[in-house]
Amino acid sequence: GREERDTYDLFVKATNDPDYYSAKDKLDFKELKASETITHIKIHVLDENDNAPIFQNSEYFAGVIVTARTGEFVSQLLATDRDAGLNGSLSYTILTSHLYRGGSNISSGSVVPNPFAISETGKLTTATLVAEYNQERFKLEVIAKERAAPFREAKAFVNIWIYEKQQLIRVILSRPPEEVHREKEQITMELSNATKSLVVIDEIKYHVNAVGQIQQDWCDMYLHVVDKKTQTISTIPDILKLIDAQFDFLKDHYAGFAIENVVPAYVGVKEETFEPALAALIALLIVLFVGCVSVIVVCCCFRHWIVSEPVDMKQSDMLIKKTVIDDLNTTENPLWIEQKLKLYEEQELTMQVFCEPETNQIPIQATMERRESVDMSVVDNTYATIQHPNRRSSLNTMLSLGAGDYATLGGSVLPLDNVSSHSQQMYEAALGFQGSTFQVPENTDLFRVRSELRVNKDGQPEFIPELV
């Protein structure tokens, strides 16, 4: 058929010799050319779409790093069709993308939207980020379909593991990458037989030596190993132990494939696992520390706490002190000064007296004493300071009531018998004076000035109601 040979070459010779045959002229068909008597006829066999597409491998294995970006290369798929032209052209499509959780052989369903994409040439790439599928496996169902009738198709499966770079193994070969690519399937097959596991090649690139220089005649092959039972990526220490145990079996292959060494891809990088219990303990310690510091700070603040007086109270005290100082500078009575200095212990007793001064009844002695006192303007308020009852003294000086005058009464003065009940109350108030201020009723008859001092039968001065 056409698949075996699609063209034929015919040479036709024109002659008058009925007994002519090709061997008579001893012609060499390889050097035979068209001439006046020979013509060349080329026959092309037309194609018929009678072949189905076929994948190079029925199952593919690949890996994608967890930090892969969108559009990153995963694997190259290849399907062929022996038909020619349109009959042999194919299109690739991903039918399903089944997700298998870590360690499970049961599908969790097909992921939508598909995290992978495939081009018209069979190039498989990532369509989305795959970080959320770390340590999980995808199994893609891919078809290659004809573009012409009868639209036959082929099917293949692609197994993809999402891995971290700390899970990779590096195989160092003293051969250029081009040669290793041609023999990579043989290398992976031998390593799979030695480890009894599935070896998946992820990348092949130039070798970088210990000083960071690139050696183009050497290459590094990065791969991960999958446990066939659990379909999970095996740990590097376990794989290296298996390879070392099979050294006698692999040493001949090492020499044939020019394998120099098998080491972890990223030395010194350890996988860090998140422990919720440890994180909770650290958080609790932080909270306790912050709480202790807060308690200490609050205690220190209370210890040195100073309650400041209100501003208006401070201003009022300053005004009172200023008034006291001014009064001290103008007052001549020492008893009055004593009362002023005891501002917060005792208060002055203020009495408002309204009287009409009678010049004809004022004694001469009182007149002389008023002249010695400070000359003050005529006002209606007359002040009297009553001493504490326990002070035993006689009334030495009596001042008649006048505008702005004041007098001092001894605490031993007894009330008269004929004094009114109101005067008796004033006396009791004087004996028990603790700093109250009150006003005297406006009865002016009680405050008439007496011209002479009265003494009772015991020889003590009698109470003067006019000064109350």
Side-chain angles (χ1 to χ4, degrees):
R2 188 204 61 82
E3 292 76 17
E4 302 296 333
R5 186 173 183 179
D6 57 352
T7 59
Y8 294 90
D9 294 314
L10 296 180
F11 293 90
V12 180
K13 182 177 176 62
T15 180
N16 294 327
D17 187 359
D19 299 327
Y20 181 81
Y21 55 94
S22 58
K24 188 176 181 180
D25 293 339
K26 298 180 180 180
L27 298 175
D28 187 359
F29 291 99
K30 294 181 180 180
E31 298 178 358
L32 189 62
K33 295 180 181 180
S35 62
E36 296 178 354
T37 60
I38 297 175
T39 185
H40 179 209
I41 301 173
K42 193 173 185 67
I43 300 174
H44 295 271
V45 179
L46 296 179
D47 179 64
E48 181 181 359
N49 192 4
D50 56 353
N51 294 291
I54 299 175
F55 272 100
Q56 186 177 15
N57 298 313
S58 60
E59 193 169 11
Y60 292 84
F61 304 97
V64 177
I65 191 168
V66 69
T67 57
R69 300 179 181 178
T70 303
E72 191 155 336
F73 176 80
V74 178
S75 181
Q76 178 66 51
L77 279 64
L78 180 61
T80 58
D81 191 330
R82 299 182 63 183
D83 294 322
L86 184 61
N87 295 332
S89 60
L90 304 173
S91 62
Y92 296 89
T93 306
I94 300 175
L95 291 181
T96 58
S97 299
H98 290 280
L99 175 63
Y100 293 84
R101 301 294 180 181
S104 175
N105 292 322
I106 301 175
S107 173
S108 300
S110 182
V111 178
V112 177
N114 201 319
F116 301 96
I118 192 168
S119 66
E120 294 294 330
T121 60
K123 182 180 179 181
L124 188 64
T125 58
T126 57
T128 61
L129 300 178
V130 296
E132 60 180 309
Y133 306 112
N134 188 19
Q135 305 302 314
E136 296 177 354
R137 176 173 63 98
F138 284 93
K139 189 171 185 178
L140 310 183
E141 184 179 358
V142 183
I143 62 170
K145 188 176 181 179
E146 293 178 338
R147 296 180 183 273
F151 304 105
R152 286 181 288 262
E153 61 184 31
K155 183 182 295 185
F157 294 94
V158 183
N159 295 274
I160 303 174
W161 284 268
I162 310 300
Y163 63 86
E164 296 180 355
K165 65 178 183 179
Q166 293 85 357
Q167 296 176 297
L168 295 181
I169 294 177
R170 183 174 56 150
V171 180
I172 303 174
L173 301 96
S174 57
R175 300 175 64 183
E178 295 80 9
E179 297 181 5
V180 174
H181 271 288
R182 290 193 296 265
E183 299 180 0
K184 67 178 182 180
E185 295 196 6
Q186 297 179 5
I187 297 175
T188 56
M189 183 174 20
E190 296 299 335
L191 292 176
S192 297
N193 294 333
T195 58
K196 306 299 180 183
S197 302
L198 178 64
V199 177
V200 180
I201 297 178
D202 297 302
E203 188 177 9
I204 299 175
K205 55 186 180 180
Y206 290 113
H207 175 68
V208 179
N209 57 23
V211 296
Q213 296 178 348
I214 298 177
Q215 293 182 252
Q216 296 185 358
D217 55 341
W218 283 35
C219 70
D220 294 336
M221 184 168 60
Y222 294 86
L223 53 87
H224 66 270
V225 180
V226 178
D227 188 343
K228 292 182 179 180
K229 293 181 180 180
T230 61
Q231 294 295 314
T232 58
I233 300 176
S234 302
T235 60
I236 293 179
D238 295 338
I239 299 303
L240 294 180
K241 288 179 181 179
L242 292 174
I243 293 176
D244 292 341
Q246 298 293 331
F247 177 78
D248 294 336
F249 172 77
L250 292 173
K251 63 180 180 179
D252 295 335
H253 299 285
Y254 279 7
F257 297 132
I259 298 176
E260 300 295 335
N261 200 358
V262 179
V263 295
Y266 298 92
V267 180
V269 179
K270 296 182 179 180
E271 182 179 359
E272 298 181 359
T273 58
F274 176 77
E275 297 182 3
L278 180 60
L281 178 61
I282 294 174
L284 179 60
L285 293 176
I286 293 174
V287 171
L288 292 176
F289 176 76
V290 173
C292 293
V293 172
S294 302
V295 170
I296 293 173
V297 171
V298 171
C299 292
C300 292
C301 291
F302 276 116
R303 181 180 180 183
H304 300 285
W305 189 271
I306 299 176
V307 180
S308 59
E309 297 181 356
V311 179
D312 53 353
M313 185 180 295
K314 290 184 178 180
Q315 294 178 353
S316 177
D317 293 344
M318 292 177 62
L319 292 176
I320 294 174
K321 291 180 181 179
K322 183 177 184 301
T323 304
V324 172
I325 294 174
D326 293 341
D327 293 341
L328 292 177
N329 293 333
T330 56
T331 304
E332 297 180 358
N333 194 333
L335 297 177
W336 182 256
I337 296 175
E338 182 180 0
Q339 294 297 324
K340 288 292 184 178
L341 293 177
K342 299 180 179 180
L343 182 63
Y344 297 100
E345 298 177 0
E346 298 180 4
Q347 295 181 355
E348 63 185 41
L349 177 61
T350 304
M351 297 177 294
Q352 187 175 8
V353 180
F354 299 92
C355 62
E356 295 179 0
E358 298 179 2
T359 57
N360 55 354
Q361 297 180 359
I362 301 176
I364 299 175
Q365 182 179 358
T367 305
M368 294 301 293
E369 291 179 358
R370 264 200 315 272
R371 290 178 181 178
E372 294 177 359
S373 62
V374 179
D375 188 11
M376 301 176 64
S377 61
V378 178
V379 295
D380 292 336
N381 294 331
T382 301
Y383 296 87
T385 302
I386 300 177
Q387 297 179 354
H388 200 273
N390 60 4
R391 298 181 59 183
R392 300 182 177 274
S393 61
S394 61
L395 182 63
N396 297 324
T397 307
M398 293 187 299
L399 301 177
S400 60
L401 296 177
D405 295 337
Y406 56 86
T408 303
L409 299 180
S412 61
V413 178
L414 299 176
L416 298 177
D417 296 335
N418 58 354
V419 178
S420 63
S421 61
H422 180 72
S423 299
Q424 179 68 22
Q425 295 176 359
M426 295 298 100
Y427 173 74
E428 293 175 357
L431 292 179
F433 174 72
Q434 296 299 329
S436 300
T437 301
F438 61 91
Q439 292 184 350
V440 180
E442 297 180 357
N443 187 2
T444 59
D445 294 337
L446 299 175
F447 301 98
R448 296 296 182 180
V449 180
R450 296 200 176 190
S451 58
E452 51 185 350
L453 179 65
R454 295 170 57 182
V455 180
N456 59 14
K457 61 182 180 178
D458 296 330
Q460 296 294 332
E462 296 181 346
F463 184 77
I464 301 175
E466 290 85 349
L467 297 180
V468 177

